[in-house]
Every structure is written in structure tokens, then in C-alpha cells.
Amino acid sequence: MDLLETLWGHWHAVGLALADAEWATASGLGDWTVRELYAHVGRGVTTTAGLVASEAEPELADAASYFRALRGLGAKGAEQVAAAARDWAAARDADALVGDFDGPAAKVLADVRATGTGVVTTIAGAMRMSDYALTRVLEATVHLLDLLAVVPGAVEVPEPALRRAVDVLADLTPPAGFIALATGRPSGAVFPVLT
């Protein structure tokens, strides 16, 4: 949760410094602008706030299992994510998009810390809150790198966030194929593991 707090704080700080024109800058992710990128990551704050703890056993073993389940939706799932980001961005002004990473994010983090990290029901299935928080760390990290590609020098991505994102992505990767690719040996298609 501390790492997620740091990342959401970075999103807040960068957003406060964005010029009006930068909100319309292409993000490099399809037709998304910086505005849609903010909406996509910011929806994670609201989504996390809406999760309800349950007595269920986890269906998903870890953060990689969450992404593996969503990856199974293919192009249809990707378009649903893109449409949700566009709709969220259209319904909120820049102040609201940035504000999601301030007060609402602080409340979500405080609530999770106060109630523990039990099992919650997500769109991919029931999982431990600590594993779900790691999915938000990956999203915030990957998309912060996307943001920095078009708004260079805005902030440093914390090394622990990069490491945790790599861990999740490595868990999504066929180990033998990854080893072959990483050591310069012939391998089948390994990447991308998450799109």
C-alpha cells in the first residue's frame, strides 16, 4: 500500500504541473491522449474504493492471475477498457482527474489499511486485497512510464515500483521462453505478455 500511495502521489504531482495543451498530447497508446491515460489510471482509485471484502476464498492466486484472467477477454476486453477511459475522461475536467489521486486516493488507502487486506471480489474474480493492490501498482507504473514518454522529466518512477511490475510481468511470461529470449537464444513468441 505504501508503494501504491507513492505512485498515486506521483500521478497527482505530475497532473498539477501539466499545462492545458499537454492534456491533449497523444499518449502513444492508440488514440488515447494524456487525459485518457489519467482517466484510465484514476479509475483504479475509484474501483479500489468500490471493492467489498468477502468471506470467499481467493479464486486468483496473485496479481498475474488477475491479468491472465482479463487477458482471456482479448480484443473485446481491451476495447471495453479503452471505452471506459474515454468515457471517464469526457465526464471529468482536468482538476477532477488529478484530484482522484489526492483526497479520494488517501481515503482508499486509509480504508484498506484500517480494514486489512482480506479477500475482495474484482472483475476478474476473488483475490486478496494485497494482490489486487499490486495490480494497481503495475498499472500505475506502466502508465507512468507511458506518461513520461510524452511529458519527459516530470518525475522519477520509483525503483521498487519498477521491480514489482517486472515481477508480475515475469509471472505472466512462459519461463523457458523468457530465459531463451533473455540469453539470446532462439525462442518462440514470448512478448508481449500484457497488452
Side-chain angles (χ1 to χ4, degrees), residues 8-190:
W8 283 350
H10 284 347
W11 278 90
H12 182 249
V14 173
L16 289 175
L18 287 175
D20 289 346
E22 289 177 306
W23 286 99
T25 302
S27 71
L29 297 174
D31 63 355
W32 279 7
T33 62
V34 166
R35 184 180 188 79
E36 280 87 23
L37 193 59
Y38 257 84
H40 174 65
V41 179
R43 283 189 69 243
V45 174
T46 304
T47 301
T48 304
L51 295 178
V52 177
S54 73
E55 299 298 319
E57 288 295 313
E59 301 165 326
L60 304 173
D62 52 25
S65 299
Y66 172 90
F67 289 112
R68 202 173 285 115
L70 294 182
R71 186 174 57 188
L73 299 175
K76 178 182 174 186
E79 180 45 43
Q80 288 173 338
V81 168
R86 284 190 298 270
D87 291 348
W88 192 260
R92 304 170 71 77
D93 64 20
D95 289 341
L97 292 171
V98 174
D100 286 339
F101 295 104
D102 188 24
K107 182 177 182 341
V108 167
L109 293 164
D111 288 349
V112 171
R113 286 176 172 134
T115 60
T117 59
V119 175
V120 293
T121 302
T122 73
I123 59 171
M127 64 191 303
R128 285 181 285 289
M129 175 55 99
S130 55
D131 292 325
Y132 182 76
L134 188 51
T135 70
R136 300 307 88 202
V137 166
L138 183 134
E139 288 277 350
T141 301
V142 168
H143 292 309
L144 191 55
L145 291 169
D146 293 330
L147 180 62
L148 295 178
V150 296
V151 184
V155 70
E156 290 286 325
V157 181
E159 182 70 21
L162 295 169
R163 296 279 177 204
R164 294 307 301 266
V166 167
D167 290 344
V168 175
L169 294 171
D171 286 345
L172 285 166
T173 306
F178 175 79
I179 291 168
L181 187 64
T183 57
R185 287 156 173 80
S187 66
V190 175

